[in-house]
């Protein structure tokens, strides 16, 4: 069965909060791991990549459509995906797909490595401030690509890319992934220094190894990729989504309940679990199951978002939602994205007490929240607003859910299974 997109999902939901959530949910495959792995299929020539554990999400379908535009055949059904890549590929990406999500930029490296040329309109996606492609482009230029920025698009041209030593100014996940993929077909060996260490990087490295590219050092500051003349067909698996898992654990905590997520290693989530424990949450780990249980009133904590293994920016809004009900004062320092505090005005509509100084939010805990009509500005902010809606004993309408469907599969069904009262609004 070939799927060319999810059915249109509702953009508004009504939450009747005050229900204590409890139960167990299975963790989906990680969106942030699946997207770069899908992009890596571009490196193949007349070969195929088979993947298991792929989440059924808007962003995944956008990447499917992008790969099809480039010439690949993509079959996606029941979390299994097969990407058949032809001998010849189109090297220009369409603006209407690229502007749907920032992860479209992940095709740049593999496309220029495979075709010698790539044209990419500047990507869209969540509003998170300035996330330029500078790190990606500087790295590709160091490998011999000529970069031209013109008319809102990037064109990268090269004969065959050449191995180089590239030191990233910041351990950017996207840049690390793009350069790893580009290096897989480059002549010689590439060293990526100050590389991102996220589990999603390790997942991509594993898939590249299965395709025949020698990659070493993933998960450390220096990644070494030895370029090959060609890669071959492979089958691999997408890791579980640590951000989704954290969101459901916090849904239990914010409703004074107890939620278990299964199918994920606690090692992926150490920084998140440590902060929850510091706030007074009881955390139990049994094999691949993690339980977060509310046992007493929460207390405020201080967090600073950092590259992995630090506290992830993708769970900052959700934890801030939890901290709005914690005793005392919490300090949330957002150091990764310069506009990831846009959700705070929506939080305040529901009674949260938060002051902002530059990229630092001072959260003073309140006794209870009130229902309101609120709007999601991005994927994780939308998830955080849903958590607040679950915590209030009133009715909350959350609008602009199209952001949320980009990252959470079956979210409403999973929350209902845990005891939430949620319906869709016209």
């Amino acid at each position: 069965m070939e799927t060319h997109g999810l059915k249109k999902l509702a953009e508004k939901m009504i939450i009747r909060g005050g229900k204590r959530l409890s139960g167990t949910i299975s963790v989906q495959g990680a969106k942030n791991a699946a997207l770069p792995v899908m992009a890596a299929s571009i490196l193949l020539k007349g070969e195929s990549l088979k993947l298991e554990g792929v989440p059924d999400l808007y962003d995944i379908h956008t990447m499917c459509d992008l790969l099809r535009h480039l010439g690949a055949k993509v079959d996606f059904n029941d979390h299994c995906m097969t990407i058949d890549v032809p001998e010849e590929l189109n090297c220009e990406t369409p603006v209407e797909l690229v502007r749907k999500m920032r992860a479209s930029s992940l095709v740049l490296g593999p496309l220029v490595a495979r075709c010698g040329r790539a044209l990419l309109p500047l990507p869209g996606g969540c509003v998170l401030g300035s996330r330029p492609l500078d790190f990606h482009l500087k790295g590709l230029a160091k490998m011999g690509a000529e970069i031209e920025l013109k008319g809102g698009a990037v064109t990268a041209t090269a004969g065959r890319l050449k191995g180089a030593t590239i030191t990233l100014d910041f351990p950017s996940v996207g840049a690390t992934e793009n350069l790893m993929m580009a290096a897989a077909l480059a002549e010689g060996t590439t060293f990526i220094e100050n590389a991102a260490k996220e589990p999603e990087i390790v997942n991509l490295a594993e898939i590249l190894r299965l395709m025949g590219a020698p990659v070493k050092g993933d998960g450390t500051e220096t990644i070494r990729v030895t370029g090959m003349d060609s890669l071959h067909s492979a089958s691999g698996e997408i890791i579980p989504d640590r951000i989704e898992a954290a969101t459901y654990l916090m849904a239990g905590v914010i409703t004074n309940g107890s939620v278990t997520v299964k199918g994920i290693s606690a090692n992926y989530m150490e920084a998140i679990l440590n902060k929850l424990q510091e706030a007074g949450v009881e955390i139990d780990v049994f094999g691949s199951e993690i339980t977060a249980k509310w046992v007493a009133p929460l207390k405020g904590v201080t967090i600073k978002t950092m590259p992995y293994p630090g506290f992830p920016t993708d769970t900052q809004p959700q934890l801030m939602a939890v901290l709005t009900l914690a005793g005392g004062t919490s300090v949330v320092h957002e150091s990764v994205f310069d506009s990831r505090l846009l959700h705070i005005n929506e939080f305040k509509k529901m009674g949260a007490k938060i002051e902002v100084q530059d990229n630092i939010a001072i959260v003073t805990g309140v006794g209870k929240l009130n229902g309101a009509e609120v709007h999601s500005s991005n994927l994780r902010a939308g998830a955080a607003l849903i958590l607040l809606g679950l915590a209030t004993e009133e009715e909350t309408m959350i609008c602009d859910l199209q952001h949320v469907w980009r990252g959470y599969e079956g979210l409403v069904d999973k929350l209902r299974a845990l005891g939430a009262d949620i319906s869709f609004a016209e």
Side-chain angles (χ1 to χ4, degrees), residues 12-59:
K12 295 180 182 178
M13 72 165 63
I14 294 172
I15 301 177
R16 296 164 192 86
K19 309 285 191 297
R20 184 174 293 184
L21 300 194
S22 65
T24 302
I25 64 119
S26 296
V27 181
Q28 70 186 33
K31 171 182 88 93
N32 292 339
L35 292 170
V37 166
M38 290 169 67
S41 69
I42 294 169
L43 297 166
L44 299 172
K45 192 171 187 177
E47 303 277 344
S48 64
L49 178 61
K50 294 182 179 179
L51 301 171
E52 293 185 5
V54 182
D56 197 4
L57 302 166
Y58 272 5
D59 276 9

Side-chain angles (χ1 to χ4, degrees), residues 10 12-17 19 21 248 251 386-387 389-390 395-396 398 401 405 410-425:
K12 295 180 182 178
M13 72 165 63
I14 294 172
I15 301 177
R16 296 164 192 86
K19 309 285 191 297
L21 300 194
Y248 289 113
I386 290 170
L387 295 186
L390 294 167
E395 191 171 282
T396 299
I398 300 171
L401 289 172
W405 309 138
L411 176 138
V412 172
D413 288 340
K414 287 182 176 180
L415 289 175
R416 283 174 176 163
L418 295 172
D421 184 350
I422 299 176
S423 59
F424 290 116

Side-chain angles (χ1 to χ4, degrees), residues 42-45 70 87-92 107-120 140-141 143-148 154-162 181-183 185-187 229:
I42 294 169
L43 297 166
L44 299 172
K45 192 171 187 177
L70 295 174
E87 295 281 335
E88 299 297 326
L89 283 177
N90 177 8
C91 64
E92 297 189 3
V107 305
L108 185 63
L111 204 53
V112 71
R114 164 79 155 75
C115 302
R117 183 173 180 270
L119 188 148
L120 182 83
L140 290 172
M143 296 172 74
E146 291 184 13
I147 307 294
E148 183 183 14
V154 178
T155 303
T157 312
R160 184 179 181 187
L161 295 173
K162 291 184 167 48
M181 291 186 280
L185 289 180
E187 181 183 338
D229 292 334

Side-chain angles (χ1 to χ4, degrees), residues 164-413:
T165 297
I166 302 163
T167 303
L168 296 174
D169 295 335
F170 178 84
S172 158
V173 174
T176 301
E177 291 166 341
N178 238 329
L179 297 173
M180 286 168 65
M181 291 186 280
L185 289 180
E187 181 183 338
T189 301
T190 298
F191 294 89
I192 305 168
E193 298 179 343
N194 196 27
K197 304 174 187 175
E198 273 73 0
E200 294 79 11
I201 297 283
V202 177
N203 198 183
L204 174 61
E206 179 59 30
I207 301 293
L208 289 173
R209 283 191 284 268
L210 291 170
M211 291 163 61
V215 182
K216 295 182 178 178
D218 43 295
T220 74
E221 289 181 359
T222 302
I223 297 175
R224 172 182 171 175
V225 184
T226 303
M228 306 297 288
D229 292 334
S230 63
L231 301 179
H232 55 70
S233 296
S235 298
E237 191 169 351
I238 301 302
I239 61 170
D241 194 318
R242 59 199 171 101
I243 309 304
E244 188 216 25
T247 302
Y248 289 113
L249 291 177
M250 292 186 208
V253 172
I254 202 169
T255 61
N256 297 357
S258 173
V259 168
T260 299
V261 293
K262 65 178 183 179
I264 189 166
S265 167
N267 294 336
Y268 288 161
M269 303 177 61
E270 191 172 353
I272 301 165
L273 299 178
N274 286 346
K275 279 300 168 186
L276 287 173
Q277 284 181 309
E278 192 181 324
V281 177
E282 183 180 294
I283 301 291
D284 292 313
V285 177
F286 183 75
S288 62
E289 294 189 359
I290 306 167
T291 301
K293 183 179 182 181
W294 184 92
V295 288
L298 303 179
K299 50 185 181 285
V301 297
T302 295
I303 66 167
K304 181 179 182 180
T305 63
M306 298 284 284
Y308 190 86
F311 191 90
T313 182
D314 276 356
T315 55
Q316 176 262 104
Q318 299 93 306
L319 184 59
M320 189 187 292
V322 172
L323 295 175
T324 62
L325 292 168
T329 300
S330 297
V331 179
V332 179
H333 182 185
E334 175 53 62
S335 73
V336 177
F337 292 135
D338 56 13
S339 293
R340 196 156 217 169
L341 298 176
L342 294 175
H343 53 275
I344 287 174
N345 286 336
E346 301 302 301
F347 277 31
K348 287 181 176 180
K349 290 180 186 177
M350 299 184 68
K353 191 174 179 183
I354 306 173
E355 295 177 14
V356 180
Q357 301 168 1
D358 297 320
N359 268 3
I360 297 176
I362 313 297
V363 184
T364 303
V366 296
K368 67 174 186 174
L369 298 163
N370 54 265
E373 180 177 317
V374 290
H375 294 258
S376 163
S377 59
N378 63 63
L379 166 55
R380 306 305 174 184
L385 291 170
I386 290 170
L387 295 186
L388 290 180
L390 294 167
T392 176
E393 295 185 7
E394 300 175 7
E395 191 171 282
T396 299
M397 178 181 283
I398 300 171
C399 307
D400 301 319
L401 289 172
Q402 68 273 14
H403 296 295
V404 175
W405 309 138
R406 293 182 46 236
Y408 293 90
E409 180 183 346
L411 176 138
V412 172
D413 288 340

